[in-house]
Amino acid sequence: MSASFQHRRELVCSPAAAWRLLTDPDQMNRWSTAPITLSGNGIGDRPDGVGALRTVTLPRRGGRLREVVEEAVFPHRFVYRVYDGGPLLLDHLGEQTIAETATGCRITWTVELRLAGGVSGVVARSIGRQVGASLDRLERLADSAVLDAAAGPPRDRPAHPDRAELAALRRAALVPLSEQTAIADALAAADDPKQWFARVYQYVTQEMIAVADRPGALRNPDWVLALIPVFHEYFTRNLTAYRRGEPCTAAWTRAWSQCEREDPDHPERPVMRGLLAGVGAHIDDDLPHALLEVHRARYGDRDLREFLPDYLRLAPVFTAASDRLIADLPRSHKPWWTPIATRIHPQVRDEFLGRKGFHVGRQRMKAFARALEATRTEHLAGRAESLAGRAESLAGRAESRPP
């Protein structure tokens, strides 16, 4: 069960001033009862741009909420989502709207959240009280606030493709899915233990397509679909090389060799270790390169951080794919904890497993950061090359002028 709360306040300041008070962590810490730390700027290198990351430390040891800015329509609408709030927090979406009034502006802050264990209502009331107390302080502060009415972040207007382009991208994504299914089927027919990771890779692709198909689930479904053939190329290239005894990346060599190990007394252990090693190779090796390759090919004129909200929304596909694989495993290959896992929420289970080994969420964030840094480096190199070319052109003109 989900729960929600909403607060409204009248502020004696302009909508632009209210925007800055609500979205700039430096200003937010003047009135919020929970300290806010900027973890990373969004598009435009701004704290209020799409893709910006913030950490909210709740009072009285209430934990930390890691947020990503999903929409920023200056100075009227600001949407953020908690992508990591601990194992019990399943969903947390916040929306702040600002409407101009005769005396200033009216802000409306709405939060919808859902937690495991049926405690959503209790937590919503607790957080709602804290937000209400913070807004009381904001209301008093706004009466005397004098802020620079700087421009807001770049206009939040995702460049969605038309239906024909989206349909073409979907058809292109179905080709790798068909090939992955055939690979997993062939390995299963040969009783090759690499079949288990090949099958989970197929399921990940299916889950990604399903998310892209869901209306309103993503800001840029085209971006998600465009990633799938690139992921597939890295996957099949390394699998083919390994099977032929040719060089492949160190991470994939470890992953495939781990998949092939056997333990007659505990046949489930090589399966789980192989899955973990394969996921690690995909995230640590392939993911940063695939993100960069797709960005170069299709979205070079856009800030990669614009796609971070969608990237974070894809996190559950790994859990969904793993659950499907566990359901497929023969009884002898199922881990002892499988019956327990079916009775607890996947996010709780994933957090526990992450502490024991590879933490998918944290490693995915590192992979995105590596891709983002690469785009920045390439952008700076491109600017330097452009400036050098311009300087060379000016020098050539100067030399060609008569004395």
Side-chain angles (χ1 to χ4, degrees):
M1 291 289 292
S2 61
S4 64
F5 63 83
Q6 185 177 86
H7 291 288
R8 290 189 177 89
R9 293 292 188 278
E10 303 287 334
L11 303 186
V12 186
C13 65
S14 69
W19 175 277
R20 188 172 172 199
L21 285 166
L22 284 169
T23 64
D24 184 340
D26 287 340
Q27 297 297 327
M28 296 168 71
N29 284 320
R30 298 173 63 192
W31 52 266
S32 175
T33 59
I36 294 99
T37 304
L38 180 66
S39 306
N41 280 318
I43 59 174
D45 283 323
R46 294 179 57 101
D48 53 355
V50 170
L53 300 173
R54 312 183 301 196
T55 300
V56 180
T57 303
L58 299 176
R60 295 186 292 276
R61 297 183 180 181
R64 289 186 175 88
L65 305 179
R66 292 179 171 84
E67 303 174 345
V68 59
V69 176
E70 294 207 331
E71 293 184 45
V73 184
F74 176 81
H76 302 298
R77 187 167 184 264
F78 186 80
V79 180
Y80 64 89
R81 187 173 66 85
V82 176
Y83 66 90
D84 181 2
L88 296 180
L89 184 61
L90 309 179
D91 293 299
H92 182 133
L93 186 71
E95 178 184 4
Q96 297 165 330
T97 61
I98 305 171
E100 189 171 6
T101 65
T103 57
C105 63
R106 177 183 303 111
I107 63 171
T108 304
W109 190 339
T110 305
V111 171
E112 296 182 358
L113 53 82
R114 182 167 62 94
L115 289 95
V119 296
S120 301
V122 174
V123 174
R125 286 191 292 272
S126 175
I127 296 179
R129 285 192 296 269
Q130 294 174 24
V131 171
S134 295
L135 288 178
D136 289 342
R137 297 170 62 177
L138 172 61
E139 197 170 28
R140 294 190 294 269
L141 173 65
D143 287 343
S144 58
V146 179
L147 297 174
D148 178 20
R155 295 193 68 180
D156 181 22
R157 186 178 292 175
H160 294 302
D162 58 31
R163 291 185 179 180
E165 183 181 357
L166 198 60
L169 287 167
R170 190 181 190 281
R171 287 194 298 272
L174 290 175
V175 174
L177 175 59
S178 177
E179 293 180 8
Q180 290 165 17
T181 303
I183 290 171
D185 288 347
L187 291 171
D191 199 25
D192 188 320
K194 292 192 291 297
Q195 64 177 291
W196 306 119
F197 183 75
R199 187 69 73 192
V200 84
Y201 207 97
Q202 168 203 332
Y203 288 160
V204 167
T205 299
Q206 286 180 327
E207 294 295 329
M208 288 180 67
I209 294 173
V211 174
D213 285 346
R214 198 176 307 142
L218 300 169
R219 289 166 52 88
N220 302 281
D222 56 304
W223 179 75
V224 171
L225 293 172
L227 286 168
I228 290 173
V230 181
F231 287 153
H232 177 68
E233 197 277 331
Y234 282 92
F235 167 70
T236 53
R237 180 199 306 164
N238 282 284
L239 175 58
T240 300
Y242 182 82
R243 296 176 76 180
R244 291 176 177 174
E246 298 171 354
C248 59
T249 71
W252 277 113
T253 299
R254 286 193 300 271
W256 292 125
S257 61
Q258 183 68 61
C259 288
E260 290 181 330
R261 294 180 184 178
E262 296 183 1
D263 185 340
D265 294 330
H266 298 281
E268 78 284 355
R269 290 180 180 175
V271 174
M272 293 298 107
R273 290 169 182 163
L275 289 177
L276 196 62
V279 170
H282 167 73
I283 293 176
D284 292 342
D285 260 24
D286 297 355
L287 190 49
H289 300 296
L291 291 171
L292 182 59
E293 186 174 328
V294 170
H295 193 73
R296 284 174 182 155
R298 298 182 60 91
Y299 306 99
D301 60 335
R302 295 163 69 178
D303 191 319
L304 182 60
R305 288 170 293 192
E306 182 183 336
F307 304 99
L308 182 54
D310 285 340
Y311 180 79
L312 291 170
R313 282 184 177 270
L314 288 176
V317 305
F318 293 92
T319 300
S322 298
D323 286 348
R324 290 176 62 182
L325 180 74
I326 289 173
D328 290 347
L329 290 173
R331 184 182 296 273
S332 60
H333 287 62
K334 290 183 186 289
W336 65 267
W337 44 260
T338 300
I340 302 173
T342 60
R343 291 194 289 269
I344 62 176
H345 194 277
Q347 187 164 314
V348 179
R349 182 189 67 215
D350 291 351
E351 185 69 19
F352 172 76
L353 292 176
R355 294 175 183 177
K356 300 295 183 180
F358 187 87
H359 197 291
V360 172
R362 295 195 189 104
Q363 294 305 117
R364 288 185 79 243
M365 288 300 292
K366 290 180 180 178
F368 191 91
R370 286 170 58 194
L372 178 60
E373 185 59 31
T375 64
R376 287 172 171 165
T377 300
E378 291 188 355
H379 177 69
L380 291 174
R383 286 185 61 186
E385 185 177 346
S386 176
L387 290 172
R390 195 176 306 172
E392 185 177 346
S393 176
L394 290 173
R397 289 179 189 177
E399 290 177 1
S400 65
R401 291 174 185 167

